[in-house]
Every structure is written in structure tokens, then in C-alpha cells.
Amino acid sequence: MNYTLKNESIVAYNESSEFEFPKYTSQLINWTNQNAQGTRPVVVGQMSELFPEFVATGEEITIENWRKWYTERFPDAFDKATDKIFAQVQNLRNAIPLIDREMVMHWVEDLVINKTFNGMYVQKAILASLAEKKGTTFRLATPAEESIGIDGYVGDTPYSVKPDTYKTMGRLSETIDVKMIYYTKTKTGLKIEVEE
């Protein structure tokens, strides 16, 4: 038998409750918390470890017992998390009046044009940065060079620029007989591995 169990049913079966937030407020607090990092394990503990620890105590598993067990171990966690998040809410309150339609238009254009371009087209930036490190020039490949797997040259050396996932793709039929540059996208930029 296959079926789904909705969140509200889980709440009902567990005989717990959830706070009812006005429209959009929970989304805003959640987004604010992502910036403030108020509920990170360093602030409130690692729930994936704490809850099983609570269950293993042998106490009756109720929401009241969980609350008591948790707050005995982390008595200041709610205040610390709230302070971090609320400070970020204040920052939002200050920023929201600055947002007008024109700014939203700039944001959309920046996302669609600039961030897409810079996120999807990394070859030029990688080749330029490598050339700078080597104290030489670079150029992008011609269509004929691209057809044989070359993405560009740093000095006189041809390179192919690929995401790191390319290494694990055993099904590739192409053989690229040039030096490889592999990159990994991270939250803050790119990790680059250059074959020497």
C-alpha cells in the first residue's frame, strides 16, 4: 500500500501543535534566519543528534517532555537564536523602504543577464586567471579548435575547461588530448584544478 501523510496529519497524530503565522511572515523569518544563522547547531544544538538522544532516555515521548529535556540542556538557545534573527529582521526593515520598482527591475536583469552569464560561462574567467598567475596571455579557442576539445590557450598551451563532474563521467566517447582544467562551483566561487 502506498500513501502520503501530510504535515498537518503528522501534527495531529503526534498530538502537538504549530504556531499559526500571518501570511508571508514565516517565509520572511525563515529567509532572515538563513542570513542570520540563528538556528545553526552552534546556537541551538544539532537536532539530528539531540532528538534521538531524548528518545533514548526512556521518558515518555511527548512534546512537553521533549521541550523540558531540550530546555534543560539549552536554556538560552531560544533567546540567542531570537536575538540573532531579530537583529536581521531590523536590517530588513531598514532595507525594505529602499526597494522600489526600478530596483526590482535592476535585480531581475542582474539575475537573468549578469549572474546567469557569470555562473554559466566560467571558461574565460578561468583561462584569464590562469594566464595572470603564469604571467602570460590567454585567448579563447576558435570554432575549429573547439571541435577538437580545446577551450582556449594560456600562452601557447591548449586547455580544455570542464566541471569536476566530468572526471567521473566514464561514458564519454570523446578523448581530449590537451591539458585539462577542472573546476568545482562552491558557494563563494570556483575551486580550480589545473593539469600540469
Side-chain angles (χ1 to χ4, degrees):
M1 167 180 10
N2 297 325
Y3 67 99
T4 58
L5 188 61
K6 294 184 181 280
N7 286 334
E8 50 271 12
S9 298
I10 294 170
V11 169
Y13 284 124
N14 282 343
E15 299 175 47
S16 67
S17 62
E18 291 185 336
F19 190 84
E20 290 292 323
F21 292 93
K23 192 172 186 176
Y24 304 124
T25 59
S26 181
Q27 291 169 278
L28 283 171
I29 294 168
N30 185 44
W31 179 78
T32 304
N33 182 43
Q34 288 173 19
N35 288 321
Q37 302 182 354
T39 56
R40 288 284 172 102
V42 68
V43 180
V44 298
Q46 183 66 50
M47 296 303 131
S48 61
E49 294 172 6
L50 292 173
F51 193 77
E53 191 179 322
F54 160 68
V55 170
T57 65
E59 287 187 57
E60 183 182 1
I61 300 171
T62 65
I63 197 156
E64 294 81 15
N65 284 346
W66 162 240
R67 179 187 311 279
K68 180 177 177 284
W69 186 91
Y70 176 81
T71 55
E72 285 171 358
R73 282 150 188 82
F74 293 86
D76 301 327
F78 296 148
D79 282 330
K80 286 180 182 176
T82 299
D83 289 346
K84 287 176 80 76
I85 297 165
F86 194 70
Q88 191 65 27
V89 167
Q90 293 301 103
N91 292 338
L92 280 178
R93 281 192 176 130
N94 295 336
I96 285 175
L98 304 175
I99 301 170
D100 59 10
R101 189 176 193 289
E102 184 179 357
M103 184 183 285
V104 173
M105 175 79 80
H106 289 305
W107 184 91
V108 171
E109 183 178 342
D110 184 60
L111 175 69
V112 172
I113 302 301
N114 300 329
K115 288 188 171 51
T116 298
F117 185 85
N118 291 322
M120 303 293 273
Y121 185 62
V122 297
Q123 291 157 324
K124 181 178 179 184
I126 290 170
L127 293 167
S129 68
L130 181 59
E132 186 177 331
K133 288 188 179 307
K134 290 182 172 255
T136 188
T137 59
F138 81 96
R139 72 171 177 82
L140 296 172
T142 65
E145 292 164 339
E146 284 180 350
S147 72
I148 57 170
I150 298 170
D151 290 313
Y153 285 79
V154 173
D156 295 326
T157 307
Y159 285 97
S160 180
V161 181
K162 301 289 181 217
D164 65 335
T165 53
Y166 188 87
K167 292 190 237 179
T168 59
M169 298 172 78
R171 56 184 164 68
L172 293 173
S173 58
E174 66 179 324
T175 302
I176 301 175
D177 194 23
V178 297
K179 292 191 183 259
M180 300 296 293
I181 300 173
Y182 297 106
Y183 65 91
T184 307
K185 289 188 178 186
T186 67
K187 189 175 182 178
T188 58
L190 298 173
K191 286 185 187 174
I192 299 166
E193 176 187 337
V194 181
E195 189 178 89
E196 291 298 331

